[in-house]
Amino acid sequence: MSASKPRTPASGDGPLFEGMTSTPAPSTAHFISWVPVVAVCALVCTGLWGAWVTRELVSKEQMAPMARIQLSSMVGEYVQAQARSATPPDQVTAETKAFMAEVEGNLKARGQKGQIILVGEAVLAGDVPDITAEVRKQVFAKVKMPQPAPAQAASMMGAMQQAMADPSMLPPVGIGNGPRN
């Protein structure tokens, strides 16, 4: 017997089929309750939010609350590079001001993010991370390190240093066209 439409009772079918009447066939469409749909959507949204929060917490650079910088060595390195360059004095002044402004701006930005910066010479002991290399990299990305003077000036400096180291190579004093004693 197939599960098709119920049949209508014919006359003389007997008492067994008396309760049968013709009713429309139930539709095959299934309706899902809104409760499971909302629960699944809430579960998916919660999972996505949790993944986003985890990514934000893990991927952010962990800034140490307190750090030190070897400021004197960094500034000394820059000043030595400027001294070895063949840059005119007025340009050296402008470049040094730009360098110092960039260092100050970098340290201020770190301070605004809540990081306490200690000058390395003031830190006697403790486990305070050193950010000198990081700051140096960020500053020199914006302000270029002065390049050494051309080879001619460098060779002149080398000759002067060699002459100062070996005084026997210098001409004796009092010989030549100068005044005599």
Side-chain angles (χ1 to χ4, degrees), residues 7-86:
R7 67 179 204 131
T8 53
S11 64
D13 277 342
L16 194 56
F17 297 102
E18 284 179 2
M20 285 184 77
T21 60
S22 70
T23 57
S27 68
T28 57
H30 296 285
F31 292 102
I32 298 176
S33 172
W34 60 271
V35 174
V37 172
V38 169
V40 168
C41 287
L43 186 63
V44 168
C45 289
T46 303
L48 290 173
W49 177 80
W52 176 78
V53 167
T54 302
R55 181 182 58 109
E56 289 296 312
L57 291 176
V58 171
S59 69
K60 290 216 184 241
E61 291 181 19
Q62 296 296 326
M63 187 184 313
M66 197 178 305
R68 68 179 167 169
I69 183 168
Q70 302 293 334
L71 196 57
S72 64
S73 68
M74 195 168 113
V75 171
E77 176 186 353
Y78 184 81
V79 168
Q80 282 182 352
Q82 278 290 15
R84 291 183 185 128
S85 71

Side-chain angles (χ1 to χ4, degrees), residues 67-72 117-126 128:
R68 68 179 167 169
I69 183 168
Q70 302 293 334
L71 196 57
S72 64
I117 307 294
L118 303 172
V119 178
E121 291 76 14
V123 179
L124 298 176
V128 180

Side-chain angles (χ1 to χ4, degrees), residues 94-110:
E95 288 176 358
T96 303
K97 283 182 180 178
F99 169 76
M100 294 304 288
E102 187 59 39
V103 170
E104 182 180 2
N106 188 297
L107 297 178
K108 275 185 180 179
R110 289 172 176 276

